[in-house]
Amino acid sequence: MSRIVLGIGTSHTPMLNAPVSDWSRFIERDRVRPHLDKQGRPVSYEELLAQADASMEAQLRPERLAERHARALAEVERLGAAVRNARLDALIVVGDDQKELYGDDNMPAILLYRGKTIRNVPLADHPGPDWARDASARYFEKEAPRDYPVDDALAHHLIDHLIESEFDIACADSLADGYGEGHAFGFVHNRLLAGEVIPVVPVFLNTYYPPNQPTPARCHKLGRAIREAVESHPGDLRVGILASGGLSHFTVDEALDAQVIAALRAKDEAAFAALPRALLNSGNSEIRNWICMAGATGHLALRGLEYIPAYRTPAGTGTGLCFADWS
């Protein structure tokens, strides 16, 4: 019987692609981007700054940033080794697309990619400063496009099973000329796997953009249906499933992250379903990817989970970094 033998959850922020000396430079981006506060309300950077905790100065001390940066990179290495050592035949990657491939004219809630390969292309235009471009570029190929293998047979099996399970699945078998996979998937290929070639099955969730974001409960049910589909696949495949992104950002919300982590540890489907949807927007929305992965890994044991509140500005912006594995 084919089975899911590994679950991975990993943040994928460009902070993980940048030297620690650049973490404080993210203020250049955060000052001008829109934000949500911890109640999910739109706010400016200045409004976040006015609300910030008095302890934020201590969070931004150079030695604190260096310690968190080192821990985070060690976790990327640890999870990469876990994937490489699991002897997987295929890796299902659950990620979001931030209008890198799909836009307002065609925004599927759930899309499963079924081509024989998926392309990663070098970063072309980038509107930000050079340091930010360098961080974003690490998701992508350095010089020339590369086609990564997809387990298209498993992808088709998943689509068939999910349709029978009453999930209305969009699908795609190719990318438009000149386009490549987005950062959620590029992080897996170019950072986590670091040259290891494992056939993937990309699952795109519209975590970011109303009005058709899947609910937390739907994401968990999707993960459970993915596991059932894998177990009904003929043969004896060893399959992993990976959630790319999260946890809270761009405003770090340690309370929300603690709720998610508690639900992960307890395998608490009701707790996932009860997460306030008003808090699952902007970067926080990628928590949906973790919920889907959790639905698929209820039979596995948690082996390690590291949480790092990676603050980067006095306003409390940054990323609630999380890295976890189940086997």
Side-chain angles (χ1 to χ4, degrees):
M1 180 182 80
S2 296
R3 60 207 186 280
I4 291 178
V5 299
L6 178 71
I8 295 285
T10 179
S11 297
H12 65 214
T13 170
M15 294 175 74
L16 296 172
N17 296 341
V20 68
S21 57
D22 282 350
W23 274 20
S24 60
R25 301 179 75 175
F26 278 87
I27 194 171
E28 299 173 29
R29 313 298 302 279
D30 289 350
R31 277 185 177 138
V32 298
R33 76 165 85 240
H35 293 282
L36 299 176
D37 67 13
K38 294 178 184 180
Q39 288 72 48
R41 299 172 301 203
V43 291
S44 67
Y45 176 86
E46 289 72 21
E47 288 170 316
L48 278 181
L49 184 61
Q51 301 170 11
D53 191 275
S55 67
M56 199 52 57
E57 180 180 350
Q59 300 281 5
L60 299 175
R61 289 174 181 161
E63 63 272 18
R64 180 71 65 87
L65 296 183
E67 181 264 339
R68 288 174 169 170
H69 184 267
R71 282 170 58 200
L73 294 192
E75 285 299 303
V76 173
E77 291 297 321
R78 184 181 73 81
L79 293 187
V83 176
R84 294 190 294 272
N85 293 337
R87 299 179 289 110
L88 299 178
D89 297 299
L91 177 63
I92 299 167
V93 181
V94 184
D96 54 307
D97 180 80
Q98 295 174 28
K99 296 187 178 178
E100 294 152 302
L101 295 174
Y102 307 106
D104 289 333
D105 61 335
N106 180 21
M107 181 66 70
I110 305 168
L111 182 144
L112 206 146
Y113 186 87
R114 61 186 180 91
K116 293 186 178 298
T117 62
I118 190 164
R119 187 185 317 117
N120 186 297
V121 303
L123 182 65
D125 296 330
H126 189 280
D130 288 347
W131 66 266
R133 187 192 189 285
D134 290 344
S136 293
R138 293 192 69 189
Y139 297 117
F140 308 110
E141 302 306 305
K142 290 181 180 179
E143 297 177 354
R146 180 176 178 182
D147 292 323
Y148 287 93
V150 172
D151 190 330
D152 59 317
L154 177 59
H156 280 92
H157 178 79
L158 292 179
I159 292 168
D160 289 343
H161 184 95
L162 292 172
I163 292 292
E164 288 294 328
S165 300
E166 300 186 345
F167 284 88
D168 297 321
I169 301 295
C171 59
D173 65 359
S174 60
L175 305 181
D177 289 346
Y179 285 82
E181 64 184 0
H183 71 290
F185 303 90
F187 182 84
V188 176
H189 280 132
N190 278 308
R191 292 300 315 282
L192 208 67
L193 294 182
E196 183 82 5
V197 178
I198 300 172
V200 297
V201 177
V203 177
F204 294 79
L205 293 186
N206 174 29
T207 73
Y208 250 76
Y209 303 108
N212 66 330
Q213 297 156 293
T215 66
R218 189 67 168 163
C219 292
H220 195 275
K221 288 182 174 69
L222 174 64
R224 195 166 60 236
I226 287 173
R227 185 178 92 189
E228 292 168 355
V230 169
E231 290 175 350
S232 71
H233 186 277
D236 191 28
L237 297 181
R238 292 175 57 84
V239 179
I241 183 167
L242 183 149
S244 180
L247 295 180
S248 65
H249 63 292
F250 299 94
T251 304
V252 177
D253 188 342
E254 293 190 52
L256 174 62
D257 292 341
Q259 283 184 265
V260 174
I261 290 168
L264 289 167
R265 291 186 183 280
K267 302 182 180 181
D268 190 339
E269 181 178 356
F272 286 125
L275 289 172
R277 292 173 64 186
L279 301 186
L280 298 183
N281 290 303
S282 186
N284 294 7
S285 72
E286 292 174 344
I287 290 168
R288 287 178 170 88
N289 299 329
W290 286 68
I291 296 171
C292 178
M293 178 272 299
T297 55
H299 61 302
L300 301 180
L302 178 64
R303 298 303 182 190
L305 188 151
E306 185 78 4
Y307 177 72
I308 305 167
Y311 294 98
R312 65 197 190 196
T313 75
T317 62
T319 306
L321 299 173
C322 197
F323 309 91
D325 63 313
W326 289 258
S327 63

